[in-house]
Amino acid sequence: MRLLIMGPPGAGKGTQAKFIADHFSIPAISTGDIFRANVSQGTPLGVEAKRYMDAGEYVPDEVTNRMVSNRIVESDAEHGFLLDGYPRTLAQVEELDGMIKQTGHQLDAVVVLTVDSEEIVQRLLQRAEIEGRADDTEDVIRRRQEVYAEQTHPLIEVYKARGLVHEVDGLGEVDDVTKRIFASLSETSES
C-alpha cells in the first residue's frame, strides 16, 4: 500500500500513522520526524529547516522533495509506505506523482483526518508542554493552521478528484479513530 495521511497539524496523524504502518507492514515516513532529527543533530539540512520551522513556515520544496525521494526508494519501502507531512503543496503533489511512477506503482489512498481547529490548538499546546517542544507556541500553532488552510487543504481537492480520499473523523479515543480508518480503507486495493 502506498498511502498518505493528511490533516491539519495536531490532528493525530503521527499517532495514527504508526498503527496504519504496522497494520500494512509498511514504513511510516514523517517529514516532521526527519526534520526534527536533522535539527537535533545540527546537520546542514537541520539548520536550514529550523529557520522555517521556528517561524511556523514550511521547509522549501527542493529540500523536502530530495529527502522524500531518497526515502521512498529504500528497501523497507519496496512494498509500500505511509507518508505523513508530505506533500504539502501542489508542486509537491506533482513531484510525488513522478517519484511513485518511477517505482512502477501509484498512490492507493489518502486518509484525511478531520478535526475542529480550536481543538487542535489546545491539543498542540498541551503536547508542547508535555514534550517540551519550543516550536509549539500558540502564535506558531495558529500560523501553521493558516499555512495549512492556504497551501495544503487544496491538495485534498486534487486527491478527491482522483477518487483517493478517505475522510475520517479524527476526534475521539485513539482506538476509535484507528477503527474508523481501517473501516474506511477496507475496500482499498494496492497498486
Side-chain angles (χ1 to χ4, degrees), residues 25-52:
S25 299
I26 55 177
I29 302 169
S30 163
T31 53
D33 288 347
I34 295 169
F35 290 149
R36 280 188 286 279
N38 278 275
V39 167
S40 70
Q41 294 165 13
T43 67
L45 173 63
V47 171
E48 184 178 354
K50 186 176 187 323
R51 287 187 302 128
Y52 296 95

Side-chain angles (χ1 to χ4, degrees), residues 92-102 107 159 162:
Q92 288 179 353
V93 169
E94 293 176 20
E95 191 72 23
L96 179 61
D97 288 345
M99 290 178 208
I100 295 174
K101 188 174 184 180
Q102 286 181 344
L107 192 60
Y159 288 124
R162 296 181 187 182

Side-chain angles (χ1 to χ4, degrees), residues 61-173:
D61 284 358
E62 321 76 73
V63 175
T64 308
N65 291 342
R66 204 167 346 124
M67 188 173 44
V68 172
S69 179
N70 291 340
R71 181 62 185 92
I72 68 170
V73 296
E74 290 183 20
S75 61
D76 68 333
E78 183 179 339
H79 298 289
F81 52 80
L82 172 69
L83 284 175
D84 170 8
Y86 184 91
R88 288 187 169 172
T89 65
L90 290 170
Q92 288 179 353
V93 169
E94 293 176 20
E95 191 72 23
L96 179 61
D97 288 345
M99 290 178 208
I100 295 174
K101 188 174 184 180
Q102 286 181 344
T103 68
H105 298 281
Q106 63 188 21
L107 192 60
D108 297 310
V110 178
V111 175
V112 178
L113 295 179
T114 59
V115 291
D116 176 73
S117 61
E118 283 307 310
E119 174 85 18
I120 288 176
V121 170
Q122 295 312 310
R123 190 185 283 185
L124 287 177
L125 287 172
Q126 184 177 18
R127 180 178 80 179
E129 190 175 315
I130 293 168
E131 297 180 11
R133 289 189 179 192
D135 62 331
D136 278 351
T137 65
E138 185 167 349
D139 288 343
V140 170
I141 291 167
R142 290 194 185 280
R143 177 63 187 142
R144 284 190 193 132
Q145 302 300 321
E146 291 169 10
V147 171
Y148 172 80
E150 294 164 7
Q151 296 181 17
T152 307
H153 193 268
L155 308 186
I156 296 169
E157 296 306 314
V158 170
Y159 288 124
K160 274 185 183 174
R162 296 181 187 182
L164 295 174
V165 171
H166 296 258
E167 285 190 341
V168 177
D169 180 1
L171 291 179
E173 295 297 318

Side-chain angles (χ1 to χ4, degrees), residues 178-190:
T178 305
K179 287 175 188 170
R180 290 193 289 263
I181 291 170
F182 291 148
S184 182
L185 288 175
S186 66
E187 301 296 314
T188 303
S189 56
E190 52 187 287

